Amino acid sequence: MPTDAPLILGFDTSSAHCAAALLRGDSVLAQRREEMAKGQAERLMPLLEELLTEGGVTWADLDAIAVGIGPGNFTGIRISVSAARGLALGLDVPVIGVSSLEAQAFGQEKPVISSLDARRDHLYLQIDAEHPGLFTTDNLPPLATGARCIGHRADEIAARCGGTVAVASYPMAEAIARVAATRLAQPDLPAPAPLYLREADAAPSREQPPALLDD
């Protein structure tokens, strides 16, 4: 394993999990995924510390941070994106945001259709490099014929486009780190921002006006 290969820490809390992977070049030094419906904010940093220890490195050794930007759970996405931006600022390293849909499709032959459960009979879907969207199975966009279909309701989608059902090539956090590695050489990388494809479940009351502050 080349010791001069970039060391990337990737993590994701966009779903009901806390996942992280430590990647040097093409080799995974350590990775962890813990299923949890809540508590990611308290668990994320200790998990990352444990991963670095397991990989035999320190924060100062990192060359980049990679983070999952969703789509997914609003609170979970904010937790990981905020943590990633703060870590990158403190460590003075690049931070790269990667969508869950892109990470899930990484390493697959195109055309590939990546989908995630969006709840309430909806799904998030992305075809190759097209912009992702929120759909139902009754209102899908034009599908790529013969595509490899990965993720939520992949069997139904494959049946619609004459495609085949496939499984993700890598665990989510590892895939996020691998996608980020392909972008390290790009100049002027944008700061990661949450990828929200639907409105939040909780919204301000429409009946009660916002409180006004006195001057």
Side-chain angles (χ1 to χ4, degrees):
M1 176 176 55
T3 56
D4 58 345
L7 181 65
I8 301 174
L9 177 65
F11 53 89
D12 179 66
T13 58
S14 64
S15 188
H17 63 239
C18 194
L22 187 62
L23 187 74
R24 185 186 291 280
D26 197 48
S27 300
V28 178
L29 302 186
Q31 67 176 308
R32 191 89 58 83
R33 176 187 173 110
E34 297 180 3
E35 303 297 328
M36 56 180 68
K38 57 182 179 179
Q40 289 98 330
E42 295 78 16
R43 181 59 183 137
L44 179 59
M45 293 307 297
L47 178 67
L48 298 181
E49 291 272 9
E50 293 166 13
L51 209 68
L52 293 175
T53 300
E54 184 179 341
V57 299
T58 68
W59 291 107
D61 296 319
L62 294 176
D63 294 298
I65 300 289
V67 62
I69 60 172
N73 177 274
F74 279 70
T75 301
I77 296 171
R78 287 196 297 269
I79 289 168
S80 54
V81 170
S82 297
R85 294 181 67 160
L87 285 170
L89 181 63
L91 298 171
D92 193 24
V93 297
V95 57
I96 301 168
V98 179
S99 83
S100 305
L101 290 165
E102 182 183 6
Q104 185 172 250
F106 184 71
Q108 298 285 332
E109 293 183 10
K110 295 182 178 180
V112 57
I113 300 173
S114 179
S115 57
L116 296 167
D117 187 4
R119 313 281 181 145
R120 291 177 285 179
D121 296 322
H122 284 71
L123 51 82
Y124 302 117
L125 185 142
Q126 182 171 16
I127 304 171
D128 291 335
E130 294 180 9
H131 188 75
L134 177 68
F135 304 95
T136 69
T137 52
D138 294 326
N139 184 30
L140 293 175
L143 302 175
T145 302
R148 299 174 68 82
C149 304
I150 306 174
H152 185 60
R153 305 181 80 162
D155 53 344
E156 297 178 42
I157 297 170
R160 300 274 189 96
C161 67
T164 57
V165 176
V167 296
S169 299
Y170 306 99
M172 181 59 70
E174 179 185 345
I176 288 169
R178 289 187 180 276
V179 172
T182 68
R183 297 179 180 164
L184 269 180
Q186 295 181 11
D188 302 321
L189 289 167
L195 176 60
Y196 295 144
L197 297 179
R198 78 183 317 162
E199 294 182 358
D201 292 332
S205 171
R206 296 182 180 179
E207 299 178 358
Q208 182 176 353
L212 298 179
L213 299 178
D214 294 331
D215 293 333

